[in-house]
Amino acid sequence: MNHTKKIQISLLASLLGVVFCFAQKKKSQGDVFFFQYEYQKAVNAYEEELSEGVLTKQQFLNLADAYFETNNYDKASEAYMKIYDQDTLMDTHHYNKMLQSLSKSQNVDGKRDFLTSISSNFPKELMENMEFNNQLLQNGADGNQLEYEIFNLEGNSPQTDFAPSFYNDKLLFSSGRQVNKKLRYEPGNEGYFNIYESEIQPTGQITALQSFQELKDTDYHEATPFFSSGLNSVFYVLSNTQDGELAFDENGKNALAIAKQNIGGSYQLLLKDLSTSFYYPFYDDASGKLYFSADFEEGYGGTDIYFVYTNNGQVMSAPINLGPRINSSGNEIAPFIFENSFYFASDVFFGLGGMDIYKSNIEDEGFGIPINLGAPINTEFDDFGMIIRNDGDGLLGYFASNRTGGKGKDDIYGFKVDEKPGLKTITFKGAVVNASSASEIVPNATVSLWDMNGEMLAETTSDEEGQYRLEIPYEPELVLDVSKERYSRFIKKFNHDELDALQNSIFDVPVAFYNDLVEEREGQKVVKMDDFYFNTSSTQLTDEIKSELAKVIDFVDAFPRAQLRIETYTDSRGGSSTNFRLTQARSDAIKKYLVENGVPASNILYSVGYGEDNILNNCTNGVFCLETLHKKNQRSLIVVLNDNVLFD
């Protein structure tokens, strides 16, 4: 494992070592090398101690990690599996390493079987991210891939060069080259990291390299700068020191802190913990949030990305984890925001290799599925620390990589591209709600997206709070389909303009509950309507009647398989035959109106006038009744004939 990655993953091995020390009476020689990041020496020492039968389970886990860090993936996967079979020492971060080891040792069957056995330990967001990216990478994204012009910077050295950052018209970066550094960092066999500045040429190449002189002088690490133009300040990490010397916690660990240097002004230490390292600060001028990577115990894997609220860079809150949509069982580092997209690097097990660069759309306070940028930005090696800015008609960006063909351990690469990197996606999110009352949510509804060829692209289920979310690669047209037993089915086609307008917004889906739209009357299921009355001897539909019949139109639209019978009755006044003809004419008038307003004629099986055949009270012929009692017999019903089989 190269020196850069040690600093990226927040001295992970050292943190693990601190935890392990409490379970051991003394450190072995392997422990000493392991906690000093001398992984090959740790392997040699641990293997010798193993042959003597003196390794604890924790030390054997350290040995597995040392195999992993020295790229011996066959031995790493074998050791991790032995530990998994015998004990519970492994956490999700070690699961990630094991899955990476199995992938890199080409043990596809072993990876699949192991992932199946442990998948319940991962958050659902991680599994969704994995499925989305696996489909994307397996199917290929050639049709959506951009044309990149990628070039190795002439200013790279034989040592480690990484973490580029724009500084007005210049470029800042971190390097292990030994200029102006008095001491050497033994694990990397190079100088402590220092920050350099350079001029950016129109080609994207850099010239006039020199040490960045705006920072407080130290003999130890200064790295991963980010320049905020709004604050005219540089955020960066540096080794914890006291009186000019390295400061260690009670377990002998030296960690990294985050500082802010106002250009030409004051210096301020923002985040410091002797037992926790902080990495890759990124300050968002728009929100005032300071993002960074760290490995706190409550994280999702190795290093996670967090943010704190600030007041002009002054920390005003505790660190807030970005959550399982971004953070995984692996290590997440190097946050960067460009045009409402969140870029970062991760070594989660379903990537192309080591560290890969991902892009996630920013959605209010949340994030979309992180999408692997794919080749040629990502390779089987470590690719991380992307930055981008507008440059003429296109974009100019930089990132670091230890891919083959470079000048040193890690090199900085520039790239030019016409459009923003990252596959364009479409996100549908919101709640499934009851059409009768938007405040009433509908859980466990099936929500799916379909292309215009009738192929389902994605499917999910609304959660206990009615919330749903689907994200897919961009399509110019889509159909959203939402259904649930005894609810109406929602189907809507979206065109290009509607899809663009939908992004970064909420789309709540109204579905009607069948039981809300029907009721029991006179021993049969009918469409729920308020009572309405025709004028005396009239068959004309009043506005009041039309308003109630609109409920029937909506009902059939919601439940298109419903079979109806229109029934109309009158009171006992008037001649019997006259009343039959009147009610039949009224039923026919209702049918005609419904058909003219969208109800298929095939849904209306019968249109019947019953005259005065079914009097509901004692107001029969010759009996004196008040008008209100007579009106109880003047009614029209829309009967649902197939109520008992409608949902079979």
Side-chain angles (χ1 to χ4, degrees), residues 555-571:
F555 173 79
V556 176
D557 184 57
F559 300 97
R561 292 177 54 235
Q563 298 174 354
L564 308 179
R565 179 174 65 227
I566 302 171
E567 298 180 357
T568 302
Y569 301 86
T570 188
D571 58 41

Side-chain angles (χ1 to χ4, degrees), residues 5 68 80 90-104 111 114-115 118 122 126 300-302 328-332 346-351 353-355:
K5 198 167 182 182
F68 180 85
Y80 284 133
M90 291 176 60
D91 55 17
T92 55
H93 186 51
H94 284 97
Y95 293 158
N96 190 79
K97 287 185 176 181
M98 181 169 177
L99 289 165
Q100 284 184 294
S101 299
L102 291 169
S103 296
K104 294 177 180 179
K111 176 183 176 180
F114 182 65
L115 180 58
I118 65 169
F122 292 139
L126 175 62
Y300 291 92
S328 73
S329 55
N331 299 291
E332 281 68 48
S346 173
D347 65 357
V348 65
F349 60 86
F350 52 77
M355 282 280 171

Side-chain angles (χ1 to χ4, degrees), residues 150-163:
I150 298 179
F151 48 91
N152 187 292
L153 295 193
E154 296 171 356
N156 285 315
S157 72
Q159 286 76 39
T160 299
D161 300 296
F162 68 108

Side-chain angles (χ1 to χ4, degrees), residues 397-417:
Y398 298 91
F399 64 95
S401 176
N402 64 351
R403 63 187 64 189
T404 58
K407 297 183 177 68
K409 298 179 180 180
D410 288 296
D411 279 5
I412 298 174
Y413 290 80
F415 68 89
K416 290 194 173 186
V417 68

Side-chain angles (χ1 to χ4, degrees), residues 469-485:
R469 186 185 184 284
L470 287 170
E471 185 171 4
I472 61 170
Y474 182 81
E475 294 275 344
E477 293 182 304
L478 286 171
V479 174
L480 177 68
D481 187 347
V482 181
S483 62
K484 183 180 179 179
E485 183 75 8

Side-chain angles (χ1 to χ4, degrees), residues 7-19:
I7 208 167
Q8 294 157 1
I9 65 171
S10 186
L11 299 177
L12 176 62
S14 180
L15 281 175
L16 291 173
V18 171
V19 176

